[in-house]
């Protein structure tokens, strides 16, 4: 989990997205995420997110899918409280599921689905990122830093508000 301690006033200026704190993520991420007709436990220690400091968040967390119908199809629960563009598709504000599979040794096919229905929304290629020195279950960087979402050693870009 990404922790931010002692956020300065400069980092929280209006319109500037920043890393969400542990307490913000704990308040945002449900202990059991809605996954179609099931409620699947989330692993809060893997959560990562960003906030605009004015009540909007984008965050994700690993789902513990063992024994559920989601096993092998979905790996993460994702919350977007603002529209986003990922790859060539648009995400409206809402709750989503993420699933991935290896394309090649150096890329993943990452798919997004509506959490309530399981309906596919879109997919994007995540590529092995040589600048990544730490493997993460899930990580999102604030726009302006890297504007990347990371799964393992693989990343893909996003845009807020498009």
């Amino acid at each position: 989990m990404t922790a931010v301690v002692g956020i300065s006033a400069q980092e929280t200026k209006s319109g500037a997205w920043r890393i969400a704190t542990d307490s913000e993520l704990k308040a945002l991420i449900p202990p059991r995420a809605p996954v179609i007709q099931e409620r699947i436990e989330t692993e809060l220690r893997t959560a990562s997110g960003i906030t605009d400091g004015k009540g909007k968040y984008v965050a994700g967390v690993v789902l513990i899918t063992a024994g559920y119908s989601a096993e092998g199809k979905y790996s993460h629960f994702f919350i977007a409280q603002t529209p986003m563009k990922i790859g060539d598709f648009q995400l409206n504000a809402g709750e989503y599921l993420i699933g991935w599979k290896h394309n090649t040794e150096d890329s993943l096919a990452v798919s997004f689905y509506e959490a309530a229905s399981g309906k596919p929304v879109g997919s994007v290629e995540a590529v092995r990122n040589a600048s990544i020195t730490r493997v993460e279950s899930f990580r999102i960087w604030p726009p302006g830093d890297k504007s990347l979402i990371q799964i393992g050693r693989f990343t893909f870009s996003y845009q807020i508000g498009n």
Side-chain angles (χ1 to χ4, degrees):
M1 184 182 306
T2 305
V4 177
V5 179
I7 298 168
S8 72
Q10 182 180 13
E11 290 172 304
T12 59
K13 63 186 171 194
S14 88
W17 286 79
R18 63 167 172 78
I19 296 171
T21 65
D22 288 348
S23 59
E24 289 171 324
L25 290 170
K26 187 175 182 180
L28 178 68
I29 304 286
R32 292 190 168 275
V35 178
I36 308 171
Q37 296 178 349
E38 299 175 307
R39 306 283 284 166
I40 299 180
E41 190 175 350
T42 58
E43 192 169 343
L44 189 60
R45 67 182 179 86
T46 67
S48 177
I50 58 174
T51 180
D52 65 357
K54 298 182 278 184
K56 299 271 189 204
Y57 292 86
V58 175
V61 65
V62 169
L63 291 167
I64 302 173
T65 59
Y68 290 94
S69 63
E71 186 173 5
K73 184 168 186 180
Y74 310 119
S75 57
H76 295 77
F77 180 67
F78 188 77
I79 300 168
Q81 294 183 334
T82 188
M84 300 178 68
K85 183 174 182 186
I86 296 177
D88 62 358
F89 65 95
Q90 183 73 32
L91 283 183
N92 294 319
E95 296 179 339
Y96 298 92
L97 303 169
I98 299 174
W100 59 267
K101 62 183 179 181
H102 282 278
N103 267 344
T104 69
E105 183 178 304
D106 293 322
S107 70
L108 302 176
V110 179
S111 298
F112 283 75
Y113 306 85
E114 292 177 356
S117 67
K119 177 184 170 192
V121 178
S123 62
V124 64
E125 182 180 31
V127 296
R128 185 182 304 268
N129 190 323
S131 70
I132 299 295
T133 58
R134 182 174 161 177
V135 176
E136 302 267 357
S137 300
F138 184 84
R139 182 172 181 192
I140 183 167
W141 279 274
D145 284 355
K146 294 186 181 184
S147 297
L148 294 174
I149 296 175
Q150 176 184 350
I151 297 174
R153 298 177 194 272
F154 303 88
T155 60
F156 56 91
S157 61
Y158 71 90
Q159 296 174 335
I160 294 286
N162 287 331

